[in-house]
């Protein structure tokens, strides 16, 4: 019996109730030398490009799930075949493979949406990116702030009282402001078409010495602001860079292959409504070549901010996204488990395998490489428009 590949099986990649899910993704189709939107149905990958040239077009529909469920097209192959060809190091470029499931949507992320991640951002700031100082600062911060912040509503009267108390004690921080203040931290994670999908490497800068994955649920949002689906995301973060200065957030967050999404979008319908997002649990596993293993869980119910409130801060009369957006909702994962030396916590090593699981959304699995080594992002919006025009799809 052959050993299971590092990126897992097709059954693991799909939702547990895949047969009752309306799933949308993207593939690279060598026969047209470009990407195509697809749906996965009964294990088959169905090409939808003749009706919907982009995933953006699907997500802008009045009833995306109902329309996709009633749409058909040519069978490209089995999902298991495409996944296997995606993750292999010697990919057969004459056969299709999986891509990130979004295309023209803006790639956005919300930060500091869980109390534990808020505390860790403050620690990064005070340590100035030096992980050797983190453990001592963590102990003192928890004594000053208190560890039980789950019930605190950002922007509430209670939050303002805590803010005033912390300011008086000299422990206020810009991260506490976005953690418990009225305005959320929402930033640009990457440019449209720059995200990577499952079974491929994610990137951290070679110069970074303190970094980690951030397993998250990501919402797919129409240009109208309506939320139409969800997928999994890895908001790869360089803690040493952001810790030196919050103004370095673009450097810490937006690098080659630093935004992973997938494997597919699950469109909301009566079986999987938006309300389910608030109940989801996201599990993380990191397996290293040094036999290091780390597991963690993020419970969406413990978010300090409601997903719909975050979307309202993203898009509305104050800011429009004509092609819609994907919004990663943040994580409660902030690893403190020591890896190499006591007191230095966790950081990635090359070839770590990061598995993000959620029964309702499937599994997003990536191997960690240096961003400089990951496949360069070369296919942009102009390339997409030219390709679709040549195919007669525009």
């Amino acid at each position: 019996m052959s050993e299971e590949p590092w990126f897992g099986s097709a059954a693991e990649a799909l939702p547990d109730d895949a047969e009752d899910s309306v799933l949308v993704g993207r593939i690279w189709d060598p026969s047209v030398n470009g990407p195509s939107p697809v749906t996965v149905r009964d294990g088959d990958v169905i090409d939808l490009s003749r009706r919907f040239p982009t995933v953006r077009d699907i997500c802008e529909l009045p009833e995306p799930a109902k329309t996709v469920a009633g749409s058909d097209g040519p069978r490209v192959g089995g999902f298991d075949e495409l996944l296997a060809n995606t993750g292999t190091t010697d990919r057969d470029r004459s056969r299709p493979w999986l891509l990130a499931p979004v295309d023209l949507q803006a790639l956005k992320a919300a930060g500091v949406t869980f109390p534990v991640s808020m505390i860790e951002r403050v620690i990064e700031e005070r340590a100035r990116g030096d992980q050797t100082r983190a453990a001592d600062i963590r102990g003192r911060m928890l004594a000053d702030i208190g560890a039980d912040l789950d019930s605190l509503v950002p922007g509430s009267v209670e939050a303002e009282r805590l803010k005033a108390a912390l300011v008086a004690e000299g422990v206020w921080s810009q991260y506490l402001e976005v953690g418990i203040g009225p305005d959320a931290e929402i930033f640009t994670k990457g440019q449209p078409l720059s995200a990577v999908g499952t079974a491929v490497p994610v990137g951290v800068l070679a110069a970074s010495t303190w970094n980690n994955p951030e397993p998250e649920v990501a919402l797919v949002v129409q240009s109208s602001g309506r939320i139409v689906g969800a997928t999994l995301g890895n908001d790869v973060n360089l803690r040493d860079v952001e810790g030196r200065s919050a103004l370095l957030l673009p450097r810490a967050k937006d690098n080659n292959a630093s935004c992973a999404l997938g494997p597919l979008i699950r469109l909301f319908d009566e079986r999987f409504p938006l309300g389910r997002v608030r109940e989801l649990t996201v599990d993380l596993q990191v397996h290293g070549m040094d036999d290091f293993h780390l597991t963690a869980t993020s419970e969406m119910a413990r978010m300090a901010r409601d997903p719909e409130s975050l979307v309202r801060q993203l898009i509305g009369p104050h800011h429009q996204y004509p092609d819609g957006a994907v919004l990663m909702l943040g994580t409660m994962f902030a690893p403190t488990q020591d890896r190499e030396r006591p007191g230095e916590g966790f950081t990635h090593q090359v070839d770590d395998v990061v598995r993000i699981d959620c029964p309702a959304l499937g599994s997003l699995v990536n191997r960690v490489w240096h961003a400089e080594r990951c496949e360069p992002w070369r296919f942009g919006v102009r390339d997409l428009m030219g390709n679709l025009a040549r195919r007669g799809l525009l």
Side-chain angles (χ1 to χ4, degrees):
M1 182 178 293
S2 60
E3 184 178 347
E4 184 176 284
W6 67 269
F7 48 86
S9 67
E12 293 170 324
L14 295 172
D16 283 358
D17 58 343
E19 67 280 359
D20 293 324
S21 307
V22 182
L23 304 171
V24 169
R26 289 169 64 241
I27 64 165
W28 184 268
D29 186 350
S31 70
V32 296
N33 198 32
S36 291
V38 297
T39 186
V40 177
R41 191 179 299 150
D42 298 325
D44 291 329
V45 179
I46 309 298
D47 188 340
L48 300 177
S49 62
R50 283 292 161 185
R51 186 171 180 186
F52 309 109
T54 67
V55 171
R56 178 267 183 200
D57 293 321
I58 293 173
C59 294
E60 289 293 308
L61 291 166
E63 297 184 90
K66 183 177 180 180
T67 304
V68 168
S71 299
D72 213 346
R75 180 182 184 273
V76 179
F79 182 77
D80 55 349
E81 300 171 56
L82 271 72
L83 177 63
N85 196 42
T86 303
T88 181
T89 54
D90 54 348
R91 179 183 296 158
D92 182 351
R93 293 187 173 269
S94 69
R95 298 190 295 113
W97 61 88
L98 300 173
L99 300 172
V102 298
D103 40 42
L104 295 176
Q105 292 94 339
L107 302 179
K108 310 293 286 189
V112 201
T113 56
F114 289 83
V116 66
S117 64
M118 174 183 70
I119 292 170
E120 286 301 314
R121 296 294 86 78
V122 177
I123 291 167
E124 289 170 12
E125 178 185 49
R126 295 194 168 202
R128 297 290 189 268
D130 182 357
Q131 69 190 97
T132 62
R133 299 175 57 202
D136 178 62
I137 295 172
R138 184 174 296 108
R140 289 187 282 113
M141 279 295 303
L142 290 176
D144 287 336
I145 298 174
D148 187 13
L149 297 174
D150 284 357
S151 62
L152 193 68
V153 177
S156 66
V157 173
E158 292 78 12
E160 286 300 310
R161 287 174 182 159
L162 175 60
K163 174 180 176 177
L166 293 173
V167 169
E169 294 176 19
V171 294
W172 190 243
S173 160
Q174 58 201 336
Y175 292 104
L176 291 169
E177 178 65 48
V178 295
I180 66 174
D183 298 316
E185 178 193 24
I186 298 178
F187 56 91
T188 296
K189 177 60 182 177
Q191 298 304 305
L193 293 172
S194 69
V196 298
T198 196
V200 296
V202 290
V204 300
L205 294 182
S208 174
T209 59
W210 189 17
N211 48 70
N212 61 249
E214 293 192 358
E216 308 187 11
V217 172
L219 296 180
V220 181
V221 186
Q222 285 185 345
S223 60
S224 66
R226 178 182 169 211
I227 307 166
V228 297
T231 189
L232 293 171
N234 185 353
D235 176 16
V236 180
N237 185 34
L238 309 184
R239 299 186 69 179
D240 49 353
V241 175
E242 185 179 359
R244 282 161 44 208
S245 170
L247 296 180
L248 292 173
L249 185 67
R251 180 69 167 169
K253 292 287 191 176
D254 185 4
N255 296 293
N256 189 36
S258 66
C259 176
L261 294 168
L264 301 163
I265 297 168
R266 183 167 184 175
L267 297 174
F268 292 134
D269 58 12
E270 64 278 2
R271 296 185 186 89
F272 185 68
L274 171 60
R276 282 279 305 282
V277 169
R278 300 180 179 91
E279 305 166 359
L280 295 178
T281 297
V282 179
D283 294 318
L284 172 77
Q285 298 179 49
V286 178
H287 299 283
M289 298 295 289
D290 58 348
D291 291 327
F292 176 85
H293 300 287
L294 181 149
T295 61
T297 298
S298 284
E299 300 172 8
M300 298 300 292
R302 296 183 64 185
M303 283 185 66
R305 298 183 188 272
D306 184 76
E308 287 187 278
S309 73
L310 287 170
V311 170
R312 287 194 296 270
Q313 293 209 28
L314 167 73
I315 188 169
H318 64 291
H319 201 310
Q320 295 77 48
Y321 293 89
D323 293 311
V326 179
L327 177 63
M328 289 197 264
L329 294 178
T331 185
M332 62 182 290
F333 175 69
T336 59
Q337 179 179 336
D338 290 334
R339 182 168 194 174
E340 293 184 14
R341 288 173 289 276
E344 293 193 5
F346 169 86
T347 194
H348 271 310
Q349 292 186 7
V350 170
D351 282 332
D352 279 353
V353 173
V354 179
R355 176 182 292 276
I356 299 170
D357 294 304
C358 177
L361 298 174
S363 295
L364 173 66
V365 187
N366 300 98
R367 190 182 294 277
V368 177
W369 285 2
H370 289 144
E372 296 88 342
R373 179 187 169 197
C374 293
E375 183 175 355
W377 172 43
R378 302 196 188 281
F379 192 88
V381 175
R382 176 63 182 85
D383 300 291
L384 176 61
M385 295 300 107
N387 178 266
L388 296 178
R390 289 191 296 273
R391 294 159 60 181
L393 300 180
L394 289 184

